[in-house]
DNA sequence: TATGAATGAGGATTCATTCAT
DNA sequence: TATGAATGAATCCTCATTCAT
């Protein structure tokens, strides 16, 4: 029974990620249908729709944090930083959810868990940033808040404007030029 | 009655700008209440909610275009470009509506009028960009699409993250560093 | 001024006849538009929508009465009776309003005027019937109520079923066969 | 819950039959109230108001067809035909819905199911007619379309004029005289 | 425990009718 | 007087959430 329940919970979260990622106004019923469970099952696992949304958000943020932590072990901190930045923005362009996750991560709202996940993700990104600065790949006078704002902005911009890959890359080239240390 | 009606229409649009600017999911009734009119009056002026949203959007875009055109006459094209960019981002931070307007302006959706207004606004911004490039204030190899994407991204980022003024300015400083011609 | 008002009143009634004849659920505004007047003008002439509907109904009934009275002077009472019957049914097939008018004419509802008009119309039809019976063209044991019911039924049936002309005529042939005196 | 749901569905249809039978313009809420369920329950069972109306219509038509089929087995085809005709008209006089069902059965509109039900009902009635003609109880030169038109008309007439039983019967006597074979 | 059913509050939209010019 | 604007009540329909099986 435990196994079944855990399975269902996972299926629901996957479905929610998919559904809300495409249209944030989707109904809980859509999630249930995609997950192949009854709607009551969704509400058994997540007491309110908000709770479900937060769970999805938390998952997203944890994945981003994990990726950042992975890259933190890289031999080339500069490359690691820019690769993470690029990956996040690229995926956001097709996955609305990521851009929204980034946004929510810093905002007061969100439940306890999501806030913690956001904190963890930002810390991991901060780690990438600091290492890149130490390695001379990012200007040392850039502070975390504005760099994180730039990450959010680039993601949201790419998402909102449905940029094609080329334009997105050229936009990022401009951003990176602003981030690199002056010669 | 013409006068009254025009008055009401203006009041409704102001209210809609305010209401939808804060929460795009707001109800038409909220708009009516803030405007101090009955809900049917809103629907008399705007046949559907979509039409109302488009009208607000159009107004926003036209205002931005006008500001861009004003600045286009400036003696210092570089200053004009950056001032416009800064103003847009600054206002977006407090007015969700502007960021969304910018987004929609480039997206296929939106009605005829809104699309036209978006086109006009982008053209005016393109004018500022070209002039600034000619004046040597913006690197010549930056094309309009990515610069516009940067404008949208910065706006959305500032809005979404609810940046304080200082952080926002530092973020813009990074962006502008990326835009300036290499020495 | 009187002339203008009378003119408007006539235009409104014509429009209402047309509009409600095609779709009884039509709005007062549709009537105003077709009449080429403002909606307030409609309500100045007819205090409520019901009043307007009754006026249209009354007009219809008066016209039918007039036609019956005209035919009453005919040299061949049998032909007169059947011609009237046929005309009413034929027109009903294309003018929903006539069938409804006939219905309402016998029903308790309707205002004073409409009731009076209905009474007048039924009397005129009764006159045609009696004369036709005296002339031996309609069986003498048929009383007015059932014959009138047959008129209403034929009209409504033709209207409701959107009968083509041929079927309608064959249906009427059956009805007339039932009405004719047994040989 | 299946049992409960089926129960509710039945209650809703009964209520709808009653409510719409008395006033086709009634609101869905009226149906819900009479059925003793919330309005959302009505919409759970019937996605749109139109669907509900069609379901009621279909039920009516199926009942009429069943009655016709029952009578088709009768030993006296003539009596069967006239009994069916009389029953339909009699009930229509008090149940608006039946007359409307008959009407709609032949009209292009209506959904798939209702159309099928209408077809079945007309076929069953056609069977009664043919048998009665073979038995010499109905004139052989009367075709189905006009006889069906007569059925509709008689029903609608009886309904619309709210005929008392006696007048209705005398009206039917006239109709039947037209239908009987000439001696 | 999982399910599908039930529910009421809320949202967009229409319409008869009343006001202000 | 004729007009177009304003209005709130009513209507259809959706959705998050709760119940009963």
């Amino acid at each position: 029974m435990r196994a079944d329940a855990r399975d269902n919970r996972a299926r629901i979260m996957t479905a929610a990620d998919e559904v809300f990622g495409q249209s944030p106004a989707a109904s809980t019923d859509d999630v249930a249908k995609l997950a192949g469970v009854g709607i009551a099952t969704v509400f058994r696992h997540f007491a309110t729709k908000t709770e479900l949304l937060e769970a999805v958000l938390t998952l997203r943020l944890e994945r981003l944090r994990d990726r950042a932590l992975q890259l933190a072990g890289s031999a080339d901190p500069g490359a690691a930083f820019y690769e993470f930045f690029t990956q996040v923005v690229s995926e956001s362009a097709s996955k609305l959810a990521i851009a929204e996750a980034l946004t929510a991560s810093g905002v007061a709202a969100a439940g306890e868990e999501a806030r913690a996940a956001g904190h963890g993700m930002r810390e991991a990104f901060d780690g990438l940033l600091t290492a890149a600065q130490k390695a001379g790949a990012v200007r040392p006078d850039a502070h975390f808040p504005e760099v994180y704002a730039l990450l959010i902005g680039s993601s949201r911009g790419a998402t909102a404007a449905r940029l094609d890959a080329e334009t997105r890359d050229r936009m990022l080239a401009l951003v990176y030029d602003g981030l690199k240390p002056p010669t």
Side-chain angles (χ1 to χ4, degrees), chain A:
Chain A
M1 282 291 144
R2 262 293 157 62
D4 259 37
R6 206 169 298 175
D7 218 53
N8 269 345
R9 191 185 162 90
R11 279 230 302 281
I12 290 168
M13 288 206 50
T14 305
D17 191 54
E18 174 73 20
V19 167
F20 293 131
Q22 294 201 328
S23 152
S27 79
T28 313
D29 218 64
D30 292 338
V31 175
K33 251 159 211 151
L34 184 60
V37 302
I39 190 174
T41 304
V42 175
F43 277 91
R44 169 167 291 276
H45 284 285
F46 306 92
T48 66
K49 190 186 189 181
T50 302
E51 221 170 88
L52 171 57
L53 282 165
E54 277 177 10
V56 170
L57 176 63
T58 302
L59 185 63
R60 278 271 155 222
L61 291 170
E62 286 173 349
R63 283 192 192 150
L64 290 176
R65 178 204 55 197
D66 291 350
R67 202 167 321 168
L69 290 178
Q70 267 181 348
L71 286 166
S74 158
D76 181 346
F81 171 83
Y82 288 111
E83 188 177 332
F84 180 76
F85 202 112
T86 303
Q87 269 190 21
V88 169
V89 173
S90 301
E91 287 184 25
S92 292
S94 63
K95 272 264 175 193
L96 187 57
I98 296 183
E100 302 218 314
L102 289 170
T103 298
S105 82
V107 177
E112 192 47 45
E113 279 208 340
R115 205 154 12 188
H119 192 70
M121 184 267 159
R122 288 202 306 283
E123 268 201 338
F125 180 56
D126 197 8
L128 286 180
L129 171 62
T130 306
Q133 288 176 318
K134 270 190 189 137
V138 171
R139 54 195 304 168
D141 60 339
H143 300 314
F144 175 76
E146 58 258 30
V147 177
Y148 187 63
L150 219 42
L151 178 66
I152 295 181
S154 301
S155 295
R156 293 231 130 199
T159 310
R162 299 174 200 275
L163 296 185
D164 56 293
E166 234 176 297
T167 308
R168 185 221 312 146
D169 289 344
R170 279 209 292 267
M171 178 190 78
L172 283 178
L174 290 176
V175 170
Y176 295 167
D177 244 41
L179 282 172
K180 270 171 194 148
T183 46

